Amino acid sequence: MAFEEFFGIESPNTLSFPRVYGSDVTPDALTIAAGGLASLPLDVFLLVISFLEPRDVVICRNVCRGWKSAFSNPETLYSSLNWFFPHSRETRQITQEIRDKVIRSLDSSVVLKWTRLVDDVAARYFFLSRGRCREIQRFNQYLRDEETYYYPVNAWDEHESFGAQNHPFLYDHAFWSYDDGLLAFPSEEARSIVVLDVLSKRKVTVPFSMTSKVIRNLRLKQRALIIEWAEIKPFHQLNELEPVHRHFATCFDVTKPATRLGDESWQVTLRNEWKMHFLGLPLSDRDKFFSNHTRDCYIVYIWQPNRSMYTGREIETLAVWDISHPSKYLPSDDVSGKHVPEDPFLNGPHPIHRYDFRDLQFYGILQEDSPSMMSFHVNDAAESIVWIENEYVRPTNAFNLGQNQWRSRVTTIPLTCGPINRTSGELSLPPYAGSCSFEVVDQRDIPDQSTIGVMDVVDELSHVSFSLLRTNLSGPFNWTVVKIKIDEERTVELDGKLAEQVAYKGRIAGDERVLIGENDRQEIVVLKF
């Protein structure tokens, strides 16, 4: 990208430096000063750099050959990265490689690589700190077809986080998922689900036929892509009015094979497939399921309304699956079940824990007709299920604008044996807003009374976070705001027009490099910083 486009300043050939030298500097004096600066000892030169801004370091390379050489030295550039951007992804990676002795010396033969790297990081934080982006990508989704249907799980109509003064504002489901530089979505161009590397812009098609299927959800996490779907044709009748469809989850591995140097291609391969519910589920707004996964574990919670004349309890189940074992067996192709592997516990995905309503009641997470669940996940390290709930709390003081109106509750359930742990109020969570709420995290800053949090995206290692907020109003007076926080110190608002481009579905994703959302034309929008 052009120099001017990176930093929004004039061409380096016409730059003057009154802050450093004064306005009456002659070209000869500038040349002499440049040569002197380039010949300074490294430690003194680094001391000079500490007084500059990041973009000044980039600009100084365009003064003359002497400065270009001095400001392109790999040791100088590495020190600049550590000084200005100690938490950036590139700085962490290079520091780790030096510690692991992958990089044994800062070789001057790769000056071009170093200068491009520093330019890229400096430009990224320049745009982040100003609430702007340097590039916008838009991708059309493949959401309409005669042989493929999309039927997302309906959001909760009632939720314990809905207060009397806070009417529910539910966002529609988003059929895309982002994980560490990779975006999975149904592409209109490819007419199939693809995985896109948002930085290199390379796509790979997922080997998954969408014909005669109802797509319920897809999720990419820890390089494992899971597509949850149902058959279009009913398998049997639940009653006279409601047919039941078999539901499956298909898992794919997303890997980067060891190929020739410089090849950034990804590979998507089938790992396994399993039946989500042994009887199937109706395609209705009342029957719901929510799921999450790690690379080796899948967890699904199923909630069904009471359809019996004799009992008044909803049907609730929770199941944890081990999905680490690859298998070519596809239960969707084996209707009769005659070809099930002899030992599925060794030859494919299998359930390792099942919880019925009695277990959920014992653990205190039974939802019944007053759900408070926000999300849940499996903690592989602790071998436990973490169940997160949120409820509305009436403020004790109506004039206390800073008081949080919601109280979280976190229940940790061991997968093996051990005590159950419950905490209350430790997390600051926004009210339930639809499927996007399943990805909520602890809010770093509690919004004021005029706004309500929708969701936050936190890049922990880079110390960069994005907060999606909406005004606590209705009708045409409601709008959304995206706040960017850098190093826990600087907070800026994303440009209003850019915020509109990513906030329509109430779901955002990304890291220090990109912010991803969806606009009102159902386009996936990638903002590159």
Side-chain angles (χ1 to χ4, degrees):
M1 186 175 291
F3 188 89
E4 296 86 350
E5 293 176 344
F6 259 129
F7 296 98
I9 57 178
E10 57 186 322
S11 171
N13 296 326
T14 60
L15 286 174
S16 59
F17 298 87
R19 183 167 65 88
V20 179
Y21 296 107
S23 57
D24 56 348
V25 174
T26 64
D28 292 338
L30 183 61
T31 303
I32 295 172
L37 183 63
S39 62
L40 287 176
L42 180 61
D43 54 347
V44 178
F45 186 68
L46 294 179
L47 182 62
V48 173
I49 288 181
S50 67
F51 290 96
L52 302 179
E53 292 296 324
R55 74 170 187 171
D56 294 335
V57 176
V58 179
I59 294 172
C60 287
R61 288 205 306 268
N62 295 274
V63 174
C64 65
R65 291 181 180 180
W67 279 30
K68 181 177 181 180
S69 176
F71 284 92
S72 299
N73 184 295
E75 292 190 21
T76 301
L77 296 175
Y78 175 64
S79 299
S80 301
L81 283 177
N82 265 326
W83 183 268
F84 297 118
F85 315 109
H87 304 298
S88 72
R89 178 181 298 258
E90 290 81 358
T91 305
R92 299 195 315 269
Q93 181 179 353
I94 294 172
T95 302
Q96 188 61 45
E97 289 178 351
I98 293 176
R99 290 174 180 172
D100 296 341
K101 297 184 178 179
V102 176
I103 300 178
R104 298 187 180 275
S105 64
L106 300 177
D107 191 357
S108 59
S109 64
V110 289
V111 168
L112 183 59
K113 174 183 175 181
W114 278 93
T115 54
R116 286 178 176 174
L117 185 146
V118 173
D119 288 357
D120 186 61
V121 176
R124 178 190 311 156
Y125 281 87
F126 175 87
F127 285 101
L128 274 172
S129 62
R130 286 158 177 77
R132 295 159 44 200
C133 70
R134 53 171 143 160
E135 185 179 353
I136 302 178
Q137 299 174 316
R138 296 181 179 87
F139 302 95
N140 294 320
Q141 299 184 77
Y142 180 51
L143 298 178
R144 297 178 182 87
D145 188 83
E146 295 180 355
E147 298 182 343
T148 304
Y149 297 86
Y150 293 83
Y151 198 103
V153 177
N154 198 41
W156 297 112
D157 296 324
E158 298 292 336
H159 198 272
E160 288 296 300
S161 64
F162 297 159
Q165 304 300 323
N166 298 284
H167 301 288
F169 191 96
L170 301 179
Y171 292 92
D172 293 334
H173 187 82
F175 282 101
W176 54 267
S177 183
Y178 176 80
D179 175 50
D180 193 21
L182 297 180
L183 174 66
F185 68 101
S187 169
E188 184 177 63
E189 180 183 2
R191 300 183 71 83
S192 62
I193 296 175
V194 301
V195 174
L196 168 73
D197 187 325
V198 296
L199 297 181
S200 68
K201 302 180 183 179
R202 297 189 180 185
K203 295 180 184 177
V204 57
T205 302
V206 178
F208 176 79
S209 175
M210 301 171 65
T211 304
S212 300
K213 291 182 174 65
V214 181
I215 309 300
R216 304 299 307 270
N217 188 34
L218 65 85
R219 181 177 54 253
L220 178 62
K221 200 170 185 180
Q222 297 182 12
R223 297 297 187 257
L225 171 64
I226 290 183
I227 303 173
E228 296 163 329
W229 58 278
E231 296 174 327
I232 287 182
K233 293 183 179 180
F235 188 65
H236 64 87
Q237 289 291 134
L238 182 63
N239 50 50
E240 294 182 357
L241 300 177
E242 295 181 295
V244 171
H245 300 252
R246 295 199 304 167
H247 280 65
F248 302 92
T250 307
C251 180
F252 298 88
D253 287 312
V254 183
T255 57
K256 181 178 288 187
T259 56
R260 64 182 182 275
L261 185 64
D263 189 354
E264 298 294 330
S265 60
W266 290 86
Q267 184 175 343
V268 180
T269 55
L270 174 69
R271 183 195 297 182
N272 48 41
E273 181 182 279
W274 62 95
K275 189 186 295 185
M276 294 175 55
H277 191 275
F278 68 100
L279 291 177
L281 297 169
L283 293 176
S284 72
D285 292 342
R286 299 194 298 165
D287 296 80
K288 308 178 189 301
F289 70 85
F290 304 94
S291 65
N292 208 338
H293 76 274
T294 62
R295 182 158 187 82
D296 299 324
C297 196
Y298 173 81
I299 180 171
V300 59
Y301 165 76
I302 298 176
W303 186 97
Q304 294 181 273
N306 172 45
R307 292 182 170 91
S308 173
M309 298 173 54
Y310 308 103
T311 61
R313 185 183 295 275
E314 291 76 13
I315 301 174
E316 300 182 51
T317 59
L318 181 68
V320 182
W321 289 68
D322 181 344
I323 60 172
S324 60
H325 302 284
S327 174
K328 295 182 179 180
Y329 172 70
L330 302 178
S332 58
D333 293 339
D334 185 19
V335 179
S336 63
K338 294 181 179 180
H339 304 290
V340 177
E342 294 182 1
D343 192 350
F345 290 87
L346 297 177
N347 298 310
H350 56 273
I352 54 178
H353 291 283
R354 291 189 186 273
Y355 307 89
D356 61 14
F357 77 92
R358 297 179 185 85
D359 300 318
L360 301 182
Q361 188 174 40
F362 172 77
Y363 293 127
I365 59 175
L366 197 67
Q367 300 300 296
E368 298 184 297
D369 60 350
S370 55
S372 57
M373 181 198 76
M374 295 290 284
S375 67
F376 55 81
H377 63 272
V378 173
N379 186 332
D380 286 333
E383 295 185 346
S384 61
I385 300 172
V386 180
W387 188 279
I388 302 175
E389 298 173 285
N390 198 26
E391 61 183 2
Y392 175 77
V393 178
R394 186 178 298 277
T396 56
N397 184 357
F399 298 99
N400 187 0
L401 300 181
Q403 183 175 359
N404 192 2
Q405 297 181 343
W406 294 274
R407 180 174 58 205
S408 65
R409 184 168 59 250
V410 180
T411 304
T412 304
I413 305 169
L415 290 174
T416 52
C417 59
I420 304 169
N421 183 43
R422 293 191 182 93
T423 59
S424 180
E426 290 190 358
L427 301 180
S428 175
L429 301 177
Y432 181 75
S435 62
C436 58
S437 294
F438 202 82
E439 300 180 26
V440 297
V441 296
D442 187 19
Q443 292 179 307
R444 300 303 175 93
D445 297 310
I446 298 177
D448 56 33
Q449 201 75 354
S450 62
T451 58
I452 294 178
V454 178
M455 72 174 296
D456 285 18
V457 172
V458 180
D459 189 340
E460 293 277 2
L461 298 178
S462 299
H463 294 204
V464 175
S465 63
F466 302 90
S467 298
L468 175 59
L469 310 168
R470 64 176 178 86
T471 54
N472 195 9
L473 301 169
S474 60
F477 303 102
N478 194 326
W479 68 89
T480 53
V481 176
V482 176
K483 291 188 176 181
I484 306 172
K485 193 167 188 177
I486 306 171
D487 292 331
E488 302 297 331
E489 299 175 356
R490 293 173 289 172
T491 301
V492 297
E493 282 192 14
L494 184 67
D495 180 82
K497 293 183 178 180
L498 296 178
E500 291 179 0
Q501 288 288 305
V502 298
Y504 182 71
K505 288 290 182 71
R507 181 184 181 188
I508 56 175
D511 48 47
E512 63 166 319
R513 302 168 295 177
V514 295
L515 179 65
I516 301 173
E518 189 171 339
N519 62 22
D520 56 358
R521 295 187 296 275
Q522 294 186 325
E523 294 174 327
I524 299 175
V525 180
V526 179
L527 306 181
K528 182 180 178 182
F529 299 101

